[in-house]
Amino acid sequence: QVQLVESGGGLVQAGGSLRLSCAASGRTFSLYGMGWFRQAPGKEREFVADISPSGGVLDYADPVKGRFTISRDNAKQLVHLQMNSLKPEDTAVYYCTARERGVARYDYWGQGTQVTVSS
């Protein structure tokens, strides 16, 4: 089992920045790929970014490429999502998630943190 707790959400004006963090506990953090998803009101949950267990492979959804950066600190069991140039359409609940190495399915989810971008 892996437990995930997000932090760092809040209210920001368009064009601003936020940094989300996710603290993991449980099994060996470095064995898991980590991801961020988001869900806006009335919409389905969507993929935002993923980072491989070693941190060497990154993947981003097209709407956030060039604006968001995912990173991880395996020693501290943390994963971050740096969000720059935020837009109102980035408003959503952001979820941290984990997948076992080599597996595409995300099996572990945090409770989510709200990000609201005002225009």
Side-chain angles (χ1 to χ4, degrees), residues 11-76:
L11 174 64
V12 64
Q13 289 188 333
S17 298
L18 279 176
R19 188 191 195 207
L20 304 184
S21 296
C22 174
S25 61
R27 293 188 175 181
T28 306
F29 181 69
S30 61
L31 296 179
Y32 290 85
M34 301 297 296
W36 288 94
F37 280 69
R38 66 186 182 186
Q39 188 167 18
K43 295 187 177 181
E44 293 186 355
R45 191 173 297 187
E46 64 176 2
F47 170 78
V48 175
D50 180 89
I51 186 167
S52 63
S54 67
V57 180
L58 310 178
D59 189 24
Y60 295 96
D62 285 343
V64 308
K65 282 182 180 178
R67 299 188 299 122
F68 290 11
T69 303
I70 189 170
S71 62
R72 66 189 294 161
D73 184 334
N74 282 352
K76 296 181 178 179

